[in-house]
Amino acid sequence: MPGERTKYAWRTQVLAERARVGAAEHAAEAAALAAATGLLAGADEVVCAYVPIRGEPGDLRMLDALRVAGATVLLPVTGEPGPLCWARYEGADCLRKARFGLFEPTAPSLPPETVAEAATILVPALAVDRRGVRLGRGAGYYDRTLGAARADTRLIAVVRDAELVDRLPEEAHDRRMGWVLTPGGGLAELGCDLGVSPE
């Protein structure tokens, strides 16, 4: 529709707002996210997650809470553009610096189709709307990856409270999220036509 904000404009706004978040506020929000994350998975479940960087909400406590709950936590291993590979998270001491400023496990890399083992996938996002449309950073790694997830896998966008918005621009290749996790609201289900992008 005329006047609708572009993805670029949304990204610019959200990144600027995240840059203004102080260390104490970020730490408090990360603690709340970790507490909520620990309730997301049971023993022996596989959860695909990620290491938050560059002002993304959350920190390693989210991953550690999942492990304490008994979940197997897999983190992305980035390579050339395409579906993400994965590796098992075995604690902060078993992470190494990777491309794009990311951190990834030192454990052996697992193929992209490993994502199909996950009951839950925590997906990094700059924002998500109430229909489940997610705004990423634009590289497309997750859009290429999530198509291999099971139909019953919970896709959870992790954002700050203000980053849950009414409506974001959507493209045909975007994969909708079924859930959102925020520091203030915890886990909440999103729109009714989940996982389906428009024709």
Side-chain angles (χ1 to χ4, degrees), residues 36-123:
T37 302
L39 305 176
L40 294 181
D44 301 322
E45 286 190 5
V46 175
V47 178
C48 288
Y50 62 96
V51 178
I53 61 166
R54 298 194 300 266
E56 290 176 330
D59 57 23
L60 289 178
R61 286 175 288 180
M62 294 167 57
L63 310 183
D64 294 332
L66 289 167
R67 293 183 73 221
V68 168
T72 296
V73 181
L74 302 180
L75 301 181
V77 177
T78 57
E80 297 304 315
L84 292 163
C85 292
W86 301 90
R88 185 166 178 158
Y89 172 67
E90 297 175 334
D93 293 340
C94 298
L95 292 174
R96 64 184 171 211
K97 290 184 179 180
R99 62 194 312 186
F100 310 123
L102 301 173
F103 290 86
E104 61 189 34
T106 56
S109 181
L110 302 170
E113 54 267 27
T114 305
V115 74
E117 299 176 12
T120 297
I121 304 175
L122 298 180
V123 185

